[in-house]
Amino acid sequence: MRGLHADTGYLLYRLGLRSGQLFNASLQESGLRLRHYAVLRLLATTEGALQRELSARLGYDPSAIVGLVDDLEKLGFAERRPSPDDRRSRIVVLTDEGRTFLQDTDEAGTQVTNDLLGPLDAGERKTLHALLLRIAGDGLK
Amino acid sequence: MRGLHADTGYLLYRLGLRSGQLFNASLQESGLRLRHYAVLRLLATTEGALQRELSARLGYDPSAIVGLVDDLEKLGFAERRPSPDDRRSRIVVLTDEGRTFLQDTDEAGTQVTNDLLGPLDAGERKTLHALLLRIAGDGLK
DNA sequence: AACAACTATTGACGACACCAATTATTGCTC
DNA sequence: GAGCAATAATTGGTGTCGTCAATAGTTGTT
């Protein structure tokens, strides 16, 4: 009979849980959670994104995006702007406050990754990251 | 500004989610979920475990173990037996039905892992698994 | 004998993945 | 160009899950 962690899939599941917990604990004092942080990080790379783009790229349900952007707007980290092309869409953009928040919390994020990857040296971390990216595939790119 | 998946921690979080979803989908027809499956797999290796041991080894809250064992008992896959040493404890053991269930679903489990690790060859999978085990550390052993 | 520690259990709460339905708008097509 | 399928954002509901607090029964210690 195979052991509990013979399955890479189950290992991934458990480590994913742990990773999310560490991230959320690290973000707790800011009032945000990992999901909000992911939205901010994505917005920082795209200079404005439709909510459906956020949904597709982050893998969150469209209905979840609504609440996340609501929260970010309340905190002044993001704004909804009307799309000139399509009046159904809203363009979500990062505010200056959001950008400085990202800069301030950047160190905390890398600290979490350090805790998580503890026993691995730099080379192993690179290897792991590359393998995970391969698994992630286009859906999460 | 760093990209969304520059963080190995976030990658792990997302892949853990996906892995759990795949597992649960695969187990759906059996009426069990990943958590039940993990309990069964652990029981198969230990020949009887206290519920607090299940809680510690699997990382699930003690209160969660109660419901999981309830479900497994209803399906006839596991049993609670009184502990001769300590009347507070219950020893959870795998039944014959549970054992045959594990054998029948073993293939489904490896299928999930195959889907998940799709683009990786055998050597890369070994590497990934070893790295993840290192990260997991003693807590998940 | 009294008291702290532990096991299993119950209950509550928030977060979240998932799905269905609605409204406003757009694009297609006949 | 009128009707209709498709789309974007939103609301609401459901079940799972992680977390914590509280309790009853039991054990070990002092």
Side-chain angles (χ1 to χ4, degrees):
Chain A
M1 188 66 66
R2 300 184 305 160
L4 225 203
H5 291 111
D7 250 315
T8 309
Y10 184 72
L11 260 180
L12 268 179
Y13 161 71
R14 293 308 309 279
L15 291 174
L17 273 187
R18 186 193 291 185
S19 176
Q21 289 165 4
L22 283 178
F23 258 111
N24 280 323
S26 158
L27 290 169
Q28 189 169 7
E29 59 186 44
S30 71
L32 295 182
R33 286 182 304 276
L34 178 51
R35 300 160 67 91
H36 301 93
Y37 189 66
V39 171
L40 288 180
R41 285 278 295 275
L42 180 51
L43 289 179
T45 68
T46 61
E47 201 66 49
L50 304 181
Q51 295 189 199
R52 52 157 289 273
E53 291 173 338
L54 293 177
S55 169
R57 302 266 313 261
L58 295 174
Y60 300 145
D61 194 85
S63 59
I65 302 292
V66 177
L68 293 176
V69 177
D70 283 350
D71 295 340
L72 293 177
E73 265 193 332
K74 263 176 211 134
L75 289 169
F77 292 163
E79 279 181 8
R80 273 184 251 240
R81 295 185 187 160
S83 165
D85 308 335
D86 188 335
R87 287 197 298 180
R88 294 171 297 181
S89 305
R90 317 283 195 91
I91 299 178
V92 186
V93 296
L94 199 61
T95 63
D96 290 340
E97 288 90 341
R99 204 170 301 271
T100 60
F101 172 81
L102 273 183
Q103 288 166 358
D104 293 345
T105 53
D106 187 75
E107 200 170 344
T110 62
Q111 177 62 38
V112 168
T113 300
N114 276 340
D115 289 351
L116 197 66
L117 304 184
L120 269 48
D121 64 38
E124 290 169 325
R125 294 182 189 202
K126 268 189 94 109
T127 304
L128 174 63
H129 193 81
L131 288 174
L132 292 179
L133 268 183
R134 295 262 309 283
I135 295 179
D138 296 333
L140 294 183
K141 276 285 169 56
Chain B
M1 187 66 66
R2 299 183 306 160
L4 226 200
H5 291 112
D7 250 316
T8 310
Y10 185 73
L11 260 179
L12 269 179
Y13 162 72
R14 292 307 312 277
L15 291 173
L17 275 186
R18 186 195 289 185
S19 177
Q21 290 165 4
L22 283 177
F23 258 109
N24 280 323
S26 158
L27 291 169
Q28 189 169 10
E29 60 185 44
S30 70
L32 295 184
R33 287 182 304 277
L34 177 53
R35 298 159 69 91
H36 301 93
Y37 190 68
V39 171
L40 288 179
R41 285 278 296 276
L42 180 53
L43 289 179
T45 68
T46 61
E47 200 65 50
L50 304 181
Q51 294 188 202
R52 52 157 288 272
E53 291 174 338
L54 294 176
S55 169
R57 301 269 311 264
L58 295 173
Y60 300 145
D61 193 87
S63 60
I65 302 291
V66 177
L68 294 176
V69 177
D70 283 349
D71 295 341
L72 293 177
E73 264 193 332
K74 262 176 212 136
L75 290 168
F77 291 164
E79 278 179 8
R80 272 186 252 240
R81 295 184 188 161
S83 164
D85 307 335
D86 189 335
R87 286 198 298 180
R88 291 172 299 183
S89 304
R90 315 282 196 91
I91 299 179
V92 186
V93 296
L94 200 62
T95 64
D96 290 341
E97 288 91 341
R99 206 168 300 273
T100 60
F101 172 82
L102 273 182
Q103 288 166 359
D104 293 346
T105 52
D106 187 75
E107 201 170 344
T110 62
Q111 176 62 39
V112 168
T113 301
N114 277 338
D115 289 351
L116 197 66
L117 304 186
L120 268 48
D121 64 39
E124 290 169 323
R125 294 182 190 203
K126 267 187 97 107
T127 303
L128 174 63
H129 192 81
L131 288 175
L132 293 179
L133 268 183
R134 294 263 308 284
I135 295 179
D138 297 334
L140 294 183
K141 278 285 173 52

